[in-house]
């Protein structure tokens, strides 16, 4: 059986930065540190950080006074920031810089007097954070049908921003519907959507041209991982989202000669390798790496974490 591995796959720069913030905070300040929401949407990552001393909470009220507090990669509403400030919590912000860019775009459009439309999925933490950052009413749409239902005059001065993990194709369709309806519309180009989302989706489309089965490694609550699976289905390839190799169903492999393997932006490479090992238990496997984009983007850590933690002194035994 051939296993073709998508390129790129797995961790993006925003996820790497967020995880490093938690790890370095634990090194510098000691355990526990408190993280509001899962730092990224992957249970394996969260559980590893929990073993190191991170405590994940959904409400700032769960964080003791004075405890080091980290905001997840998805971003938070301004009200959460204000609450942390009012309590004097020492905060490290792990919001992905590309999500922060969306926040800045939204604020800029509102400052210019435009009504803001957010293309995204209701209930997703990134969407909740963006809607709470803008400081004005935000209209959320996720489909062409939602655009038609917007209670806004067609000549209103409007602007849009997007959730970073959405499908480029789906977003393009919604933007086209906005352009068709509103005569005074501004917004970023489709290419302004998260680079990692675009690269991983393009790689999956290419992968699906040559495989009989697509496996996407990622968590069920990961928006970008779910979208990768959906793209496989749209391409006519049986496609499954699995957390790790333990979720591989041998029945999926019947008659399959080539398996496509990728991972969402919050899934570590070790889980991809775990899936390959699971495949090896059912068949002889030949692994091939696809050609694709090589990502070399890095995002800077907060200033407090750019210097290494001081080394702990080792007490002499006197011998």
């Amino acid at each position: 059986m051939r296993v073709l591995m998508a390129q790129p796959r797995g961790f993006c720069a925003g996820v790497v930065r967020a995880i490093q913030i938690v790890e370095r905070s634990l090194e510098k300040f000691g355990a526990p540190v408190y993280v509001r929401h899962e730092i990224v949407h992957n249970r394996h990552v969260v559980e590893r950080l929990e073993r190191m001393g991170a405590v994940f909470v959904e409400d700032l009220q769960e964080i003791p006074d004075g405890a080091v507090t980290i905001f997840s990669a998805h971003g938070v509403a301004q009200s959460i920031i204000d609450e942390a400030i009012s309590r004097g919590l020492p905060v490290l912000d792990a919001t992905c810089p590309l999500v922060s860019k969306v926040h800045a775009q939204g604020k800029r459009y509102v400052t210019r007097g435009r009504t803001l439309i957010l293309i995204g999925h209701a209930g997703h933490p990134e969407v909740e954070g963006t809607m709470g950052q803008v400081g004005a009413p935000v209209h959320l749409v996720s489909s062409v049908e939602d655009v038609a239902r917007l209670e806004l005059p067609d000549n209103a001065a409007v602007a849009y921003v997007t959730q970073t993990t959405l499908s480029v194709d789906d977003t393009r369709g919604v933007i086209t519907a906005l352009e068709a309806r509103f005569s005074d519309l501004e917004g970023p180009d489709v290419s302004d959507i998260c680079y990692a989302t675009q690269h991983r989706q393009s790689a999956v489309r290419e992968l699906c041209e040559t495989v009989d089965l697509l496996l996407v490694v990622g968590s069920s609550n990961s928006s970008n991982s779910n979208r990768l699976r959906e793209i496989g289905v749209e391409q006519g390839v049986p496609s499954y989202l699995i957390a790790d190799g333990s979720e591989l169903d041998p029945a999926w492999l019947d008659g399959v000669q080539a398996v496509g393997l990728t991972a969402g932006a919050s899934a570590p490479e070790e889980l991809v390798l775990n899936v390959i090992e699971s495949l090896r238990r059912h068949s002889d496997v030949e692994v091939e790496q696809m050609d694709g984009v090589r990502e070399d983007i890095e995002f800077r850590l907060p200033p407090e974490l750019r210097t290494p933690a001081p080394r702990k002194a080792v007490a002499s035994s006197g011998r």
Side-chain angles (χ1 to χ4, degrees), residues 5 19 28 35 58 60-61 75 92-93 100 113 140-141 161 165 235 289 309 319:
M5 300 174 72
I19 294 170
K28 188 165 186 176
V35 186
E58 292 299 323
L60 292 189
Q61 293 303 315
L92 292 160
D93 190 358
S100 297
L140 179 64
V141 299
V161 292
T165 54
Q235 300 286 104
Q289 177 105 328
R319 289 180 288 182

Side-chain angles (χ1 to χ4, degrees), residues 20 22-31 33 52 308-310 312:
Q20 286 180 339
V22 179
E23 292 172 339
R24 297 229 185 154
S25 296
L26 287 164
E27 291 174 9
K28 188 165 186 176
F29 306 112
V33 301
M52 295 173 64
K312 296 179 181 178

Side-chain angles (χ1 to χ4, degrees), residues 236-304:
V237 176
S239 304
Y240 301 94
L241 176 65
I242 57 177
D244 54 37
S246 69
E247 296 187 354
L248 178 69
D249 185 343
W252 300 340
L253 305 178
D254 289 347
V256 169
Q257 294 183 331
V259 176
L261 183 58
T262 189
S266 52
E269 182 69 3
E270 65 195 66
L271 299 182
V272 176
L273 300 178
N274 179 259
V275 171
I276 292 175
E277 287 308 306
S278 185
L279 288 167
R280 290 190 194 279
R281 287 194 284 271
H282 301 285
S283 175
D284 291 333
V285 166
E286 178 183 322
V287 178
E288 302 175 31
Q289 177 105 328
M290 291 187 64
D291 292 330
V293 176
R294 301 283 171 174
E295 295 172 347
D296 57 3
I297 294 173
E298 295 182 7
F299 293 136
R300 286 167 64 87
L301 296 174
E304 304 96 312

Side-chain angles (χ1 to χ4, degrees), residues 11 13-35 39-40 44-56 68-71 92-94 266 268 270 301-302 304-310 312:
F11 280 177
V15 165
V16 170
R17 175 180 180 270
I19 294 170
Q20 286 180 339
I21 287 174
V22 179
E23 292 172 339
R24 297 229 185 154
S25 296
L26 287 164
E27 291 174 9
K28 188 165 186 176
F29 306 112
V33 301
Y34 289 80
V35 186
I39 188 67
V40 296
H44 288 269
V45 171
V46 169
E47 289 174 354
R48 181 178 68 82
L49 294 174
E50 285 177 331
R51 291 192 294 270
M52 295 173 64
V55 178
F56 293 87
V68 173
T69 301
I70 299 172
F71 294 150
L92 292 160
D93 190 358
S266 52
E270 65 195 66
L301 296 174
E304 304 96 312
L305 300 177
R306 288 177 198 160
T307 56
K312 296 179 181 178

Side-chain angles (χ1 to χ4, degrees), residues 67-131:
V68 173
T69 301
I70 299 172
F71 294 150
S72 79
H74 313 95
V76 297
Q78 185 62 44
S79 60
I80 303 297
I81 297 173
D82 293 342
E83 181 182 352
I85 292 172
S86 69
R87 289 192 53 199
L89 293 173
V91 170
L92 292 160
D93 190 358
T95 301
C96 174
L98 298 180
V99 174
S100 297
K101 179 181 177 181
V102 172
H103 295 171
Q105 288 172 333
K107 291 174 183 177
R108 187 163 60 249
Y109 289 132
V110 167
T111 300
R112 294 176 185 168
R114 293 187 172 272
T115 298
L116 190 67
I117 297 168
L118 171 59
I119 305 171
H121 294 147
H124 190 279
E126 181 187 328
V127 166
E128 292 177 350
T130 299
M131 294 181 74

